[in-house]
Amino acid sequence: MTRRPAMQFMSHILYIRLSSLTRQAGKPDVRVRFHPLTTLIPHHGLVLVMAIFLMASCLAVAAESASQPKAPVPDATAQQTARKAASELFADRFKLAKTTADKTALATDMMDAAGKVQAGSADQYVLLKIARDVAAGAGDAATALQAVERLLEQFEEPAAELIGETLLTAAREATTSAQHKAVAEAALSLAGKLADSDQYDTALRLCEAARSSAQRARLYPLAKELTAQIEETKRQQLQSED
């Protein structure tokens, strides 16, 4: 499946800039040349911009591809075989991935590997799923959402639930203010969509986790917005039960 050119272009620009912040750990990479657009975005806001953009991109991909055939989620046996192969291939990287930057780099390399195997295969599914888990487990919502976007392009996965689960994990594991802010902003954007599709429990869990992230980052106006979203979701849930 081919993504919209503008979406792919923006994702590429933002991903390169984010990679320079996470993978290089403050060390400039003279091989990378940034597009002028990135100079308009403060460094501390790049993680937030990337997460929100990728979440919107995930939902857009799901909407655009709803009528197009996608591969079913591989069965448990196929996934187990693929997971064993992936674990063996990346065994040394898993052992060495201690920091957030290391885990982001590992997740990125696994996504690259997923792009080189057969589309719609169990190997591709498992590589993207592990990449999502590794990035979310490091609190890196932006990279985790990029893996989700690719999963939604190829496989019959429920978009809102997958994004919600990813953000919940990232919220639990986030450690920096930038990570907490990225999670909270993305969650606020998604919560309404979850509630509108009657997924109230997931929406409430996500809002609660996001509100905690906002408070940890001392983003009190954002925490207040999330509180309002929680109340609205509860109201919708009660109405649906009448």
Side-chain angles (χ1 to χ4, degrees):
M1 184 185 312
T2 303
R3 280 178 283 184
R4 289 182 177 177
M7 183 182 297
Q8 189 175 27
F9 176 68
M10 279 291 292
S11 181
H12 178 68
I13 292 171
L14 293 173
Y15 176 68
I16 288 176
R17 188 66 169 122
L18 182 66
S19 296
S20 74
L21 299 177
T22 56
R23 297 184 65 178
Q24 300 303 318
K27 298 178 182 179
D29 185 347
V30 296
R31 296 170 297 175
V32 176
R33 296 293 181 266
F34 300 136
H35 190 278
L37 173 63
T38 62
T39 63
L40 302 178
I41 307 173
H43 286 199
H44 66 272
L46 250 298
V47 175
L48 169 61
V49 171
M50 187 68 173
I52 293 175
F53 174 79
L54 283 171
M55 192 203 69
S57 180
C58 289
L59 293 172
V61 164
E64 289 171 8
S65 63
S67 61
Q68 300 183 33
K70 292 190 287 186
V73 173
D75 62 40
T77 301
Q79 286 191 47
Q80 184 177 9
T81 301
R83 190 171 287 273
K84 181 180 179 181
S87 297
E88 291 174 354
L89 181 62
F90 288 93
D92 292 339
R93 297 290 303 279
F94 281 120
K95 292 177 183 178
L96 295 173
K98 305 297 183 182
T99 67
T100 297
D102 292 338
K103 292 174 182 178
T104 293
L106 172 58
T108 300
D109 288 343
M110 295 191 82
M111 284 189 281
D112 289 343
K116 297 174 183 176
V117 300
Q118 182 180 352
S121 65
D123 288 330
Q124 185 180 57
Y125 181 84
V126 166
L127 283 167
L128 291 173
K129 237 350 180 10
I130 295 176
R132 190 280 305 255
D133 294 343
V134 169
D140 183 353
T143 302
L145 288 173
Q146 188 180 33
V148 169
E149 180 186 6
R150 297 188 185 185
L151 276 167
L152 294 175
E153 286 178 341
Q154 297 291 343
F155 298 94
E156 295 175 350
E157 285 273 19
E161 291 130 6
L162 187 59
I163 298 170
E165 290 171 4
T166 300
L167 290 176
L168 280 168
T169 300
R172 282 197 308 270
E173 303 300 332
T175 55
T176 68
S177 293
Q179 287 179 338
H180 282 300
K181 185 176 182 181
V183 168
E185 287 279 9
L188 182 60
S189 298
L190 178 64
K193 294 179 177 64
L194 286 168
D196 290 342
S197 58
D198 298 335
Q199 298 177 58
Y200 302 111
D201 290 340
T202 302
L204 288 170
R205 287 170 54 222
L206 184 57
C207 281
E208 292 284 3
R211 181 170 63 179
S212 176
S213 283
Q215 290 170 339
R216 290 181 185 181
R218 297 183 180 180
L219 300 169
Y220 301 117
L222 179 55
K224 187 175 179 180
E225 285 187 75
L226 285 158
T227 297
Q229 181 62 56
I230 289 170
E231 295 305 317
E232 173 60 19
T233 302
K234 288 180 178 178
R235 185 189 66 78
Q236 288 180 257
Q237 186 175 31
L238 285 173
Q239 282 187 335
S240 71
E241 294 170 354
D242 291 341

